[in-house]
């Protein structure tokens, strides 16, 4: 079933068109990988899904993006509520300069949750879901900036999970991490898809192949091809996809 | 010329410019301390002036300056931080924005006596506050607003965009993001602006001369609508307006003024360090 369906999406930064007529369905509780060479519009596309592009001046978005049956870009959509349903993890780990606990509790607190016991539960659940609980349970009140890069990124995942989002967007979440930290996060992502719909941008073909169910290949603002990951990597339909995944360019 | 020689010359010149700044400052402070320290006594700090200010103490001027500085900060800080937040977080960067920025920069260069006249016209006369602590604090607040706005703006701009994005992506509203992420991170820089502002507010003579200061008033102000004595103006008076004023008293007043500014700096610096630590925690 499609959790998010995108139809005829065009996006402009001022006069520059960064996305051309994108049609894409994102399946529920699956991992969808977005691949393509640098500058092809993967991040731009990802950021349309939680309307993070709204923060940039002069961005124009056209087309139809539906989260289930709600049009994301409808005039009276509550962006704040949307972002609670669609969480995001960024390329560079960006924990707040606060304690580990305060980082995870940040979203729920802003949402108005005050009950200490409830917050404790959420923090514990989220950190467990992000496979970080065992490593930090004894120092929840210590600064998040004292964690390693990989731990920080898992903390950012926990922070997003604390809001119990339906969709989790990840923009190259492992590109700043070493192979061991990367492997941990990949394993985590595969576990998370039981409960969450995940869209992940990655530059690593191997990563896409390892963890995703579906893959979409972008090139210069066009969506060239999308398919089950296995099929796309073994029998691509488009010559350009084949060139990219066999490393002939990009 | 070889690299080492160039390096040495550059180093010497930079050291020299540094000394050029530091040495006079140290000399001035040293001179005032040397000349004034003898005057400082418990009586000088806590008694009313007597005998045409040639005897007794300067208590009312000290209290007046304290009230003025606190009042000024109370008006200027919220207003300045508010404006800076508006300019960095909300305003679209169009023509109006550029105009406002230009106006603020220019205001910072306006001579203080002009602020005094402005305060006299607006607060003392038009709004009818009379010559009072309120009018003086408001005038000084206008004077230091540009400094506070500019410093706060710089501080807000230095907050990494990634913090804002992380907060917004978690479904926090813009205002929640400002309150919980942006402001705490910008606080040390904002406090620096406040420090600079305090220094100016405590030391200015012309604006208070026109809006608040009394020549001689041997009692404490009872409300914000009272006139008050203030140290910079008092210093001006004892230095130029009173014949046969003993030399030490002038330097004593100057030293007390220096001390008060120093204490405010120390407090502000402590606050700044506290915020800095909190950001790292
Ligand atoms: N804020 C912006 N203003 C103008 N143009 C932008 C902006 N952000 C991105 N672009 C342009 O849009 C295009 C797509 O950028 P995007 O960041 O989505 O690429 P990407 O596929 O994520 O690349 P990478 O793999 O390097 O992260 C690029 O040509 C980029 O220069
Ligand atoms: Mg990108």
């Amino acid at each position: 079933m499609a959790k998010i369906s995108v139809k005829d999406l065009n996006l402009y930064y001022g006069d520059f068109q960064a996305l051309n007529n994108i049609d894409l369905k994102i399946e529920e509780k699956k991992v969808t990988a977005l691949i393509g060479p640098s500058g092809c519009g993967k991040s731009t596309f990802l950021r349309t899904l939680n309307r993070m592009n709204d923060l940039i001046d002069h961005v124009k978005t056209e087309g139809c993006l539906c989260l289930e049956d709600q049009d994301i870009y409808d005039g009276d959509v509550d962006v704040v509520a949307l972002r609670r349903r669609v969480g995001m993890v960024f390329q560079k780990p960006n924990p707040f300069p606060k304690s580990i606990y305060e980082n995870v509790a940040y979203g729920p607190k802003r949402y108005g949750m005050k009950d200490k016991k409830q917050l404790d539960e959420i923090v514990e659940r989220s950190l467990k879901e992000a496979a970080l609980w065992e490593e930090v349970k004894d120092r929840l009140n210590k600064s998040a900036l004292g964690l390693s890069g990989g731990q920080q990124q898992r903390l950012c995942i926990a922070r997003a999970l604390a809001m119990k989002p339906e969709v989790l967007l990840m923009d190259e979440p492992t590109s700043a991490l070493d192979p061991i930290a990367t492997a941990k996060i990949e394993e985590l992502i595969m576990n998370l898809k039981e409960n969450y719909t995940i869209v992940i941008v990655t530059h690593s073909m191997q990563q896409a192949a390892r963890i995703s169910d579906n893959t979409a290949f972008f090139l210069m603002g066009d969506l060239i091809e999308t398919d089950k990951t296995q099929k796309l990597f073994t029998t691509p339909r488009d010559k350009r996809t084949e060139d990219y995944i066999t490393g002939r360019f990009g | 010329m070889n690299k080492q020689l160039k390096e040495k010359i550059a180093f010497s010149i930079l050291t020299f410019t540094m000394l050029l700044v530091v040495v006079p400052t140290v000399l001035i402070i040293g001179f005032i301390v040397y000349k004034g320290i003898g005057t400082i006594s418990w009586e000088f700090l806590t008694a009313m002036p007597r005998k045409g200010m040639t005897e007794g103490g300067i208590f009312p001027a000290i209290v007046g300056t304290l009230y003025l500085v606190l009042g000024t900060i109370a008006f200027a800080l919220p207003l300045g931080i508010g404006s800076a937040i508006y300019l960095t977080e909300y305003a679209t960067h169009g023509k109006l924005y550029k105009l406002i920025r230009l106006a603020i920069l220019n205001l910072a260069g306006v001579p203080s006596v002009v602020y005094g006249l402005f305060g006299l016209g607006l607060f003392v006369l038009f709004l009818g506050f009379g010559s009072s602590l309120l009018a003086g604090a408001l005038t000084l607040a206008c004077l230091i607003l540009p400094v506070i706005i500019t410093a706060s703006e710089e501080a807000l701009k230095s907050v990494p965009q990634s913090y804002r994005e992380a907060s917004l992506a978690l479904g926090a509203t813009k205002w929640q993001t400002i309150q919980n992420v942006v402001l705490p991170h910008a606080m040390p820089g904002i406090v620096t602006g406040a420090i600079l502002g305090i220094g100016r507010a405590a030391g200015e003579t012309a604006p208070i001369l026109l809006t608040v200061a009394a020549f001689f008033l041997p009692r404490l102000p009872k409300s914000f609508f009272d006139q008050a004595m203030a140290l910079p103006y008092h210093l001006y008076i004892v230095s130029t307006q009173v014949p046969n004023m003993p030399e030490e008293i002038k330097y004593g007043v100057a030293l007390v003024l220096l001390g008060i500014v120093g204490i405010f700096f120390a407090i502000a610096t402590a606050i700044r360090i506290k915020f800095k630590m909190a950001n790292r925690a």
Side-chain angles (χ1 to χ4, degrees):
Chain A
M1 199 195 108
K3 182 78 182 172
I4 297 176
S5 36
V6 177
K7 241 184 126 40
D8 298 327
L9 168 68
N10 288 292
L11 185 141
Y12 307 81
Y13 290 113
D15 296 330
F16 172 71
Q17 181 161 11
L19 294 173
N20 316 312
N21 278 313
I22 308 290
D23 283 322
L24 181 63
K25 285 196 184 329
I26 290 165
E27 282 185 283
E28 182 163 20
K29 299 197 176 163
K30 292 272 158 62
V31 177
T32 302
L34 310 179
I35 60 170
S38 196
C40 66
K42 307 176 297 288
S43 299
T44 302
F45 175 76
L46 196 72
R47 291 163 62 95
T48 58
L49 302 179
N50 65 345
R51 290 187 55 170
M52 282 307 270
N53 288 324
D54 290 14
L55 305 183
I56 303 168
D57 291 338
H58 312 298
V59 171
K60 198 170 89 201
T61 312
E62 297 169 348
C64 180
L65 286 96
C66 286
L67 174 60
E68 286 172 346
D69 45 17
Q70 185 187 33
D71 184 350
I72 298 176
Y73 278 82
D74 196 45
D76 50 47
V77 162
D78 178 358
V79 182
V80 166
L82 169 72
R83 292 189 186 138
R84 284 180 187 139
R85 293 178 66 190
V86 184
M88 187 163 205
V89 175
F90 297 81
Q91 178 169 0
K92 245 182 82 200
N94 58 352
F96 300 122
K98 300 173 187 284
S99 71
I100 294 169
Y101 184 98
E102 284 303 323
N103 264 279
V104 183
Y106 186 88
K109 274 191 175 175
R110 302 292 87 76
Y111 191 56
M113 185 173 295
K114 292 206 183 69
D115 187 68
K116 174 88 170 86
K117 230 183 95 209
Q118 248 177 323
L119 282 171
D120 288 350
E121 275 168 25
I122 291 182
V123 169
E124 181 171 345
R125 167 190 59 83
S126 310
L127 285 170
K128 277 182 175 157
E129 270 190 313
L132 189 59
W133 175 250
E134 287 304 322
E135 289 156 68
V136 301
K137 65 181 178 202
D138 298 321
R139 50 166 167 158
L140 291 177
N141 293 316
K142 293 266 163 59
S143 169
L145 302 186
L147 298 173
S148 73
Q151 288 173 325
Q152 285 188 12
Q153 194 61 303
R154 275 179 285 149
L155 179 66
C156 291
I157 294 173
R159 184 173 68 179
L161 295 180
M163 293 307 290
K164 275 211 167 279
E166 298 156 41
V167 181
L168 193 57
L169 310 175
M170 304 175 132
D171 195 348
E172 303 185 40
T174 61
S175 68
L177 305 179
D178 67 72
I180 293 171
T182 299
K184 276 198 179 139
I185 293 203
E186 288 185 4
E187 195 190 323
L188 171 61
I189 290 170
M190 288 192 278
N191 292 332
L192 285 177
K193 76 174 180 185
E194 275 184 33
N195 299 311
Y196 302 90
T197 304
I198 293 172
V199 187
I200 178 171
V201 172
T202 175
H203 265 283
S204 152
M205 244 77 70
Q206 292 83 350
Q207 183 169 69
R210 277 194 300 266
I211 63 173
S212 71
D213 302 291
N214 301 308
T215 298
F217 171 59
F218 283 76
L219 187 62
M220 311 244 298
D222 291 310
L223 173 59
I224 303 295
E225 182 169 351
T226 171
D227 214 326
K228 296 251 171 286
T229 298
Q230 239 238 307
K231 244 171 115 194
L232 187 127
F233 276 97
T234 48
T235 50
R237 276 166 287 146
D238 197 290
K239 178 81 172 60
R240 289 165 293 180
T241 316
E242 187 182 336
D243 286 348
Y244 183 70
I245 58 179
T246 52
R248 243 165 284 171
F249 72 84
Chain B
M1 241 188 332
N2 66 32
K3 268 189 195 155
Q4 270 109 347
L5 190 62
K6 270 191 193 168
E7 179 71 27
K8 269 195 183 133
I9 293 177
F11 181 72
S12 313
I13 293 177
L14 291 174
T15 311
F16 180 71
T17 48
M18 186 271 289
L19 289 177
L20 218 56
V21 177
V22 172
V23 171
T25 314
V26 172
L27 280 182
I28 292 172
I29 294 177
F31 185 69
I32 291 175
V33 172
Y34 171 71
K35 292 273 232 175
I37 196 80
T39 319
I40 307 294
S41 66
W42 187 246
E43 193 199 3
F44 188 68
L45 295 177
T46 59
M48 296 292 161
R50 274 182 281 117
K51 295 220 175 122
M53 295 179 265
T54 54
E55 279 180 24
I58 55 167
F59 189 52
I62 294 177
V63 171
T65 285
L66 287 180
Y67 282 167
L68 270 178
V69 169
L70 292 177
T72 302
I73 288 298
F75 288 122
L77 212 51
L79 214 62
I81 296 177
S83 315
I85 291 176
Y86 175 79
L87 286 173
T88 47
E89 309 290 324
Y90 289 96
T92 44
H93 290 200
K95 281 214 180 81
L96 183 66
Y97 173 83
K98 288 209 181 95
L99 198 71
I100 294 176
R101 291 294 325 269
L102 195 68
I104 292 172
L105 282 179
N106 276 310
L107 277 177
V110 172
S112 60
V113 66
V114 175
Y115 280 97
L117 269 179
F118 168 75
L120 177 68
L122 180 63
F123 303 123
V124 177
L125 300 175
F126 182 73
L127 292 175
F129 297 153
S131 196
S132 63
L133 279 173
L134 182 63
L138 285 168
T139 307
L140 287 173
C142 294
L143 176 89
I144 67 168
L145 258 180
V147 180
I148 294 197
I149 294 178
T150 311
S152 305
E153 259 191 296
E154 291 307 317
L156 291 168
K157 277 190 202 146
S158 75
V159 178
Q161 190 61 19
S162 66
Y163 290 164
R164 293 190 182 83
E165 288 196 335
S167 172
L168 292 169
L170 286 166
T173 63
K174 191 158 182 170
W175 176 236
Q176 288 176 330
T177 300
I178 292 171
Q179 263 184 307
N180 293 288
V181 178
V182 177
L183 270 184
H185 199 269
M187 226 44 199
I190 293 176
V191 173
T192 306
I195 295 178
L196 294 172
I198 289 170
R200 272 201 86 181
E204 281 295 344
T205 313
I208 56 173
L209 167 73
L210 293 164
T211 55
V212 48
F215 185 83
F216 176 69
L217 193 72
R219 57 183 161 79
L220 298 183
K222 286 198 197 63
S223 83
F224 262 97
F225 291 98
D226 279 355
Q227 275 198 302
M229 295 179 77
L231 285 169
Y233 183 49
H234 188 65
L235 180 59
Y236 166 73
I237 291 168
V238 295
S239 309
T240 63
Q241 307 294 304
V242 186
N244 307 324
M245 178 62 65
E247 178 96 316
E248 318 86 69
I249 292 204
K250 301 176 193 171
Y251 285 101
V253 175
L255 183 56
V256 171
L257 180 55
L258 219 57
I260 287 187
V261 173
I263 290 170
F264 273 116
F265 277 17
I267 295 172
T269 309
I271 296 175
R272 184 191 148 88
I273 289 172
K274 201 185 136 256
F275 277 121
K276 264 236 151 95
M277 302 294 267
N279 279 343
R280 242 175 275 139

